[in-house]
Amino acid sequence: MNRVGTFAAAASGLVLLTACQPAATSSAQAQADTDPHVVAATDIAAGRYIVLVGGCNDCHTPAYAQTGGAQPPESEWLKGSIEGFTGPWGTSYAKNLRLTVAGMTEDQWVETLATGTGLPPMPWPSVKAMSDADKRAVYRYIKSLPGDAGEVAPAALPPGVAPSGPSVKMG
Ligand code: HEC
């Protein structure tokens, strides 16, 4: 088939496909395609890149920031931290994101990042600003991580309660 023929066949396939989609889905899809998002060989590779440049390991992987990212192997990434962050909000702990993704669907993850109202210093405004495609890529990447899922991070403490373990004082 020549180029024009190929294009015509592809275009008619597109028309058919579009005709089968409900209007709401195609406009949501169109928006997802035009929102800025990371392009990589796979969604998982895109998610890995976003986690790396987004600094998620700095808090969610023990010893990552302190060692310049050199020490912890990927099998240890994003397992959460027992080192707290103490400020006017009390003490928060970077959660084990492997357990978080294990306990929610991809859509729930997108919703969590879009509406995130948790404690500092989690950079909620930054993850809110991520496009849906990037949020989904991060979910898929975390799901793909090698190694066991690790332990649940300690529960947050209210203001005035002294943490029993290590904690960084903020603000
Ligand atoms: C400066 C430290 C810090 C950085 C950087 C950080 N986080 Fe967090 N994150 C936290 C803390 C602390 C919490 C717990 C907040 C709370 O208890 O409400 C948290 C909680 C979360 C939660 C909620 C998990 C749950 O089970 O409720 C998600 C999801 C999350 N982080 C994703 C990310 C992603 C994705 C990145 C990278 C783009 C990131 N975080 C970077 C500190 C951080």
Side-chain angles (χ1 to χ4, degrees):
M1 202 186 284
N2 64 24
R3 273 176 174 216
V4 176
T6 310
F7 175 76
S12 64
L14 195 71
V15 169
L16 268 180
L17 199 71
T18 313
C20 299
Q21 299 287 327
T25 310
S26 46
S27 74
Q29 186 58 47
Q31 182 172 4
D33 289 345
T34 53
D35 280 349
H37 60 275
V38 168
V39 176
T42 62
D43 286 349
I44 289 175
R48 185 177 192 276
Y49 174 78
I50 297 160
V51 163
L52 275 172
V53 301
C56 315
N57 280 309
D58 291 352
C59 297
H60 288 275
T61 302
Y64 188 91
Q66 293 89 326
T67 57
Q71 291 304 314
E74 204 162 349
S75 57
E76 296 306 310
W77 287 12
L78 305 179
K79 287 186 177 178
S81 178
I82 57 159
E83 187 172 41
F85 297 100
T86 302
W89 58 87
T91 299
S92 57
Y93 295 87
K95 309 243 186 206
N96 180 330
L97 296 183
R98 294 175 183 231
L99 295 178
T100 302
V101 299
M104 54 174 72
T105 64
E106 192 173 297
D107 284 345
Q108 287 170 329
W109 168 264
V110 170
E111 188 67 13
T112 301
L113 295 193
T115 56
T117 53
L119 299 172
M122 169 62 198
W124 291 111
S126 307
V127 295
K128 268 186 200 177
M130 241 186 236
S131 60
D132 277 12
D134 283 356
K135 291 184 181 107
R136 290 183 188 282
V138 170
Y139 178 91
R140 289 173 199 175
Y141 168 65
I142 298 174
K143 275 244 155 158
S144 81
L145 275 167
D148 66 288
E151 305 292 321
V152 184
L157 302 171
V161 176
S164 55
S167 152
V168 177
K169 261 207 143 56
M170 303 182 85

